[in-house]
Amino acid sequence: MQPEPSKQPEPPALAEPAGLAEPAEPARPAQPAEPATKAQPPARPGPPAPEIPAPSSEPVAQPVEPAVPPAEPPARPEPRTTAPFHDPRRPDCPWCGSRRLRTRLRTPDLRHRAPGVFVVEECHDCAHTFQNPRLTPQGLAFHQREFPDDQVRPLLDRVRSARRHRAAARALLSCPGFPEPESWLDVGTGHARFPEAARDLFPYTSFDGLDPTPRVLRARAAGRIEEAYVGRLAAPHLTARLRARYDVVSMFHHLEHTPDPREELRAALTVLRPGGHLLLEVPDPACAFGTLLGKWWLPHGQPRHAHLVPPDNLRAELEAHGCTIVTTDRRAAHTPYDLSGALTLALAHVLPARLLRATAPLVAAATAVDRCLAPLLRRTRFSNAYRVIARKETG
C-alpha cells in the first residue's frame, strides 16, 4: 500500500480589509460595511491609498480631510437686459397728456456701455422730450451710480470750471432787490464745486448740498458745504425736514436726471422761503446740435437723462405755482462741449480703454473748436442750455 503524499500546510488566509467583508467570528468587532447599493462619487485623482491594516480590537481612526474654507460669493453680475429696470411704456406725454408722440432716437448706453437700448420720444404738442419707457427707481440707482472708468467726467469738470460757477452765482446779483441770502441749497451738487466757487461772492451764506450719490458726503468732509443730504429732494422725509428753510435753491443740469421734473420743482418751492429765489440751468431740447449729433449729443445722455424740458413749459409751470420769472437767459447758460463731447463718446464707444489716452490731442482740438465757436453759437439755435431765475411770491 503506497504511502499518501504529505500535505503541505495551507497558507494563512489573508485578512479581509476592514469594512469590506463580514468578520469570520461574531465576537470580533468589525467596521460596518457600506450598503452595496449606495453609489460612491468618483474619486479625485491623487496619491495611491495606503494599505488598510487588519482589523483589531482598537477602533481604526479614519483620515480626516482638511476643511476647505467656503469660497467668496461671486460679485453680482450686471444685468444682461434692462427690462426689469423699466416701467411700462406710456402712450402719452407726461407733461401735457398728448398722445401725439414721435420717436426722437434709439440708443445704447454710449458712456458706460451698460446693456440695453433706450428710446427717447418727443411730444408733437408741447415739445417735451422724455425717455419712454422710463427707468424704475432701481434702474435709476443702477445707471446713475458712480463709474470709475467714466471718460466724459474729466471733460465736464474742465468745462464747468470755477469761473463758470461764479458767473452763474453772479447772475443772482443782477436781480432787482436781491438781498444776500442767509442759506442756500444746491440740489444735484455732486462734489459741491458750485458752492465752493459761489462762496467767493457770498462769504456769509451757509451753503448746503443734496445729491442722490454719496459724493455729497465727501464734499462735506472736504469743507465745501455745511450740511449734506443724500437722496432726492422730492422724497417726503427730505421735503418735510427742509420746508421753508432756504433763501436760494439752485439746480444746475439736475432736472433732466429726475424721474418727475414737476414733482422736483414743487419740492424746490416747498423748501424755499417766501421771497426766495430758484436758480435753474437746463439743457434745451430745441438745440440744433441735438438734431445734428443725434445720440452723440451729450444732453441726450441715455439712460441717465429722463426728461428735457423746453423753456416755455418750465416758465409756465413756475408761474402756475405763483412764481415770478425774473429772467430767462439762453446765452450765458450755453456750455461749449458739444463737439468735444460727441467725439469723446464716439472714441470711448469704439476704442478699448487702454488706447483712449492716445486720443487726448483729438479731444483737446475739439474742445478748442467748441470754445472758439461759443461766442457765436450762444446767440443762435445752437445754444444748448438756458437759465431761469424765478422768485417765490406766496407761502
Side-chain angles (χ1 to χ4, degrees):
M1 187 172 180
Q2 295 181 354
E4 292 183 0
S6 60
K7 293 184 180 180
Q8 299 293 331
E10 294 183 1
L14 292 177
E16 292 289 340
L20 299 180
E22 293 293 334
E25 298 179 5
R28 180 179 297 178
Q31 299 294 329
E34 294 290 334
T37 57
K38 182 176 179 180
Q40 297 295 332
R44 181 180 298 178
E51 295 183 359
I52 303 176
S56 64
S57 58
E58 297 292 332
V60 179
Q62 299 294 330
V64 179
E65 295 185 0
V68 179
E72 292 291 333
R76 184 177 61 180
E78 293 191 354
R80 296 291 183 181
T81 175
T82 58
F85 285 177
H86 275 149
D87 282 336
R89 181 189 178 277
R90 62 179 303 156
D92 57 350
C93 171
W95 197 269
C96 70
S98 172
R99 290 180 171 266
R100 301 177 61 201
L101 306 178
R102 73 174 185 90
T103 299
R104 182 161 176 161
L105 60 92
R106 297 175 182 269
T107 178
D109 184 355
L110 301 172
R111 186 166 170 180
H112 301 306
R113 303 184 183 183
V117 176
F118 306 90
V119 181
V120 177
E121 295 191 338
E122 182 179 355
C123 176
H124 275 283
D125 295 335
C126 72
H128 183 76
T129 302
F130 62 103
Q131 183 185 77
N132 194 22
R134 71 175 186 177
L135 293 175
T136 62
Q138 182 185 8
L140 280 173
F142 176 80
H143 288 290
Q144 293 184 359
R145 72 194 193 276
E146 296 183 74
F147 288 85
D149 57 345
D150 190 352
Q151 304 298 327
V152 178
R153 177 54 54 187
L155 171 67
L156 297 179
D157 291 340
R158 290 194 301 270
V159 172
R160 296 170 183 170
S161 60
R163 179 182 177 183
R164 180 178 178 84
H165 290 321
R166 283 192 292 269
R170 193 178 292 113
L172 279 174
L173 295 176
S174 63
C175 298
F178 178 75
E180 183 168 356
E182 176 185 342
S183 56
W184 189 316
L185 176 66
D186 187 40
V187 182
T189 192
H191 293 290
R193 299 300 182 185
F194 171 76
E196 181 183 33
R199 188 173 281 112
D200 295 341
L201 299 174
F202 302 97
Y204 302 106
T205 299
S206 172
F207 284 91
D208 297 342
L210 183 147
D211 197 82
T213 70
R215 294 178 298 176
V216 66
L217 300 178
R218 298 194 290 270
R220 182 183 61 184
R224 302 186 192 108
I225 52 177
E226 297 188 21
E227 295 292 337
Y229 305 98
V230 178
R232 298 198 174 275
L233 185 58
H237 69 284
L238 283 177
T239 306
R241 180 179 180 182
L242 304 178
R243 180 181 297 272
R245 193 174 192 180
Y246 294 99
D247 298 308
V248 179
V249 173
S250 56
M251 296 180 176
F252 295 99
H253 292 262
H254 169 72
L255 276 183
E256 62 267 27
H257 296 274
T258 61
D260 189 343
R262 273 194 168 123
E263 186 180 25
E264 198 79 0
L265 288 174
R266 288 193 296 267
L269 296 176
T270 300
V271 304
L272 267 180
R273 295 168 180 165
H277 287 75
L278 182 62
L279 173 59
L280 302 165
E281 281 193 9
V282 187
D284 188 355
C287 173
F289 273 123
T291 303
L292 182 65
L293 299 176
K295 65 182 181 180
W296 306 104
W297 189 46
L298 276 184
H300 277 146
Q302 292 302 299
R304 285 154 294 281
H305 289 185
H307 296 271
L308 296 179
V309 185
D312 291 341
N313 293 3
L314 184 59
R315 286 196 299 262
E317 183 69 15
L318 292 172
E319 290 172 344
H321 286 86
C323 293
T324 299
I325 305 300
V326 178
T327 181
T328 302
D329 188 355
R330 293 176 180 269
R331 297 182 181 180
H334 174 71
T335 305
Y337 64 0
D338 298 287
L339 300 179
S340 54
L343 179 61
T344 302
L345 281 179
L347 293 174
H349 187 65
V350 301
L351 294 179
R354 66 180 182 274
L355 299 180
L356 290 178
R357 187 180 297 272
T359 64
L362 293 177
V363 178
T367 301
V369 172
D370 278 327
R371 290 178 175 174
C372 291
L373 294 178
L376 174 63
L377 296 181
R378 67 176 73 250
R379 300 172 182 271
T380 68
R381 290 184 59 249
F382 285 92
S383 176
N384 56 25
Y386 62 94
R387 178 186 300 157
V388 172
I389 299 177
R391 183 173 60 248
K392 180 181 177 180
E393 301 291 355
T394 58

